[in-house]
């Protein structure tokens, strides 16, 4: 499971965080399941949401 939390600057100048998680290849499928969530105010919020997955 590859995890990456990145900082991004929005057009209005504010900063938000996003993460991309590779959950692996589900059984019976050929492509990996990749989940992206964005719009977090801090890395702490992003990590909490990541734990829910």
């Amino acid at each position: 499971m590859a995890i990456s939390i990145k900082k991004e600057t929005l057009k209005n100048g504010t900063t938000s965080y996003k993460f991309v998680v590779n959950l692996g290849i589900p059984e019976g499928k050929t492509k990996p399941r990749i989940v992206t969530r964005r719009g977090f105010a801090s890395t702490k919020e992003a990590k909490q949401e990541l734990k829910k997955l």
Side-chain angles (χ1 to χ4, degrees):
M1 181 166 74
I3 302 168
S4 139
I5 296 178
K6 294 188 179 180
K7 178 179 168 181
E8 59 185 2
T9 304
L10 304 177
K11 287 183 179 180
N12 63 4
T14 60
T15 302
S16 73
Y17 294 87
K18 71 175 185 176
F19 66 81
V20 178
V21 180
N22 182 346
L23 298 177
I25 300 172
E27 192 171 322
K29 302 286 182 171
T30 57
K31 293 185 179 180
R33 181 169 180 218
I34 299 175
V35 177
T36 303
R37 298 284 189 270
R38 60 178 55 186
F40 300 104
S42 66
T43 56
K44 184 177 180 181
E45 288 180 15
K47 286 179 183 179
Q48 288 174 349
E49 182 66 27
L50 184 61
K51 287 180 183 179
K52 291 180 183 177
L53 290 177

